[in-house]
Amino acid sequence: MIDAETVGVLIMLIGLYGIIANEKPIKQVLSVNVLSVGLVLFFIGTGYVPNRTFPVMPANPVDPLPATLMLTTLVVDVALTALALALITDMGVDA
Amino acid sequence: MIPLLAALPLSFAFATALLLPLHRKNLAKYLFLTGAFVPWGVFLLGGEGSEIVGGWTRMGGIEVAVGVYSRWFILAELLLFSIAALYSVVYFRGKVKPFVLLLLIHTGLLGAFISRDLFNYYIYMEVVSVSTFSLVAFPGSSEAKKAAYKYLMLSMISSYFFVFAVGLLYLKTGYLNLYLMSQVVTQSKEVAAAIAIAFTSLLLKAGIFPLHSWLPDANSAAPTPVVILSGITVNVPLYGMLLLSTYLPLSVQFKAALTSIAFISMFAGVGMALLQRDAKRLLAYSTVSQMGYALIGIGTGNPLGAVYYSFAHSIIKGGLFLSVGSLSDARGSRRLDALSYRGDVLIAVSVIALSLAIGGVSPFVSALGKAEILQGLTWGRWLVYLAGVGTLAAFAKLNYWLSRGVGVRVGGVYRLLSIIPTLLVMGFGLYLYRAFQPFDAVTVGAGILTFALLRLSGLTDRGIGFELPVGRDVSINAALYALFLLLLLHVL
């Protein structure tokens, strides 16, 4: 079966393709979001270890660090998307 | 003590932002200046060393350090930000938001330069970038917004790929801390791929040709205090490359590829600078070329060269943007033929001195950087000299136009500040280098002669300019990024 990391990388590449193939700024911002979702999936995949349990005081946990890193990246993502959308609405017809 | 370097400006940024709802706008500049200058205390009292935030073990905590290399970056940042802070108090008089964003840039720069942990480094680099995007768009003109959008998109793509590379390294080594990573890392395809991806992203953020195209746009559209900082913001990705190259194994062919890219960037930057008719764009293309010099230091495994060179470059470029930016703000135009430093001795002296300094002429600190870079280079030394001649020719062009026409009145504070970088570059040069090379006179002469010949041939006056819709511009540059990524992955 295909694993989460590979799917994540594929989604990242789809996002990058989206930015290259679309000239409308709003679609480019959406493509960057696709890229970031792929990245998050990749990281979540790296933390997953088969047959292990959730990381709340258990004996044999999965790796919780990648998931926590992704919380930070998601925050950056939200902030940047907001800024990009604000710029696009400001640019108006110029864009 | 070391984490305070980043924590203090951050808390002052927060406090300054609070002044808006509290209706105490008049206090903003005092809080801003305190926040800008307190890290000096930490830097001067703290000394060198490494520390894990919160007192955890290295494995569980985030390491920060002031080391042999990073202290030069921190020193350059503190010097340049102090100048930019004094400048912006006058420039952004009566406003609050730019002060908050500038303090965030301060936080991000210091935080990135003390990082010894890849993810922590990424976060601080993003803090710098996000604040810079907003400040680039601050003038509100259509040009500024487009530049900010382009910078934002390209920077965002490269950031995500950088984090992806960090993830790959984490997957292979199990650590984010660079020291621990270096202990367990082995040469493997995955590690090499991660390094290639990380470098491509950092090269874009450092403004290396051909991924530089956001840099002239952003530098020409942004408000002057922000452009003064551009000399140091491009050093953040450079510091990242330095960390990667000192802690991780870079293959021989990858280093050779980096050196070749560096040479291409040096000449492409100089060539583009010679063609510009816009003063700020000329300076921005010169940054592309100068970052090439610093990249040679990385490519030849000569971190000290890269550090000295980028230390010198950040202060010189900051000073040049300050002087030229003040002139163009006063005139309301950035065109070379509209600007002049006539009748303004301070600005004239600083532009001329810094123009010589950027060519690596010897009483200035950049000569030390250049000498260090040359020391690590086994081939192509004459190329460095040739690029130096090109740089001097580009700056002969700047001085040629600035010494003609009618001068404008520039504000007193700006004029006084414009001389500080010159004194710093001179002072550090005399303190650190203490050598004078008569050969530099030949280089300067060759530079002026090159410009004279180019001017006679009419090549430098034509200018180049074509404008693309911003969306297409981003698409093309994203495609370039993808191609460059494939190229570096192919070299590994």
Side-chain angles (χ1 to χ4, degrees), chain B residues 433-445:
Chain B
Y433 193 47
R434 290 195 207 97
F436 184 77
Q437 289 172 344
F439 181 69
D440 287 338
V442 182
T443 326
V444 176

Side-chain angles (χ1 to χ4, degrees), chain B residues 168-169 172-175 178-188 190-192 194-195 244 246-250:
Chain B
L168 276 178
L169 287 171
K172 286 304 282 185
T173 61
Y175 297 114
L178 278 156
Y179 173 76
L180 292 173
M181 206 182 256
S182 71
Q183 297 296 304
V184 294
V185 74
T186 46
Q187 283 269 16
S188 71
E190 290 88 343
V191 170
I195 291 173
L244 289 173
T246 41
Y247 284 104
L248 297 174
L250 264 57

Side-chain angles (χ1 to χ4, degrees), chain A residues 19 22-23 25 28 63 77 94, chain B residues 142 149 160 170 471-472 475:
Chain A
I19 300 161
N22 287 302
E23 284 182 11
Q28 289 176 339
D63 184 359
D77 189 31
D94 293 347
Chain B
S142 162
Y149 173 76
Y160 287 136
Y170 177 73
R472 182 173 300 167
S475 290

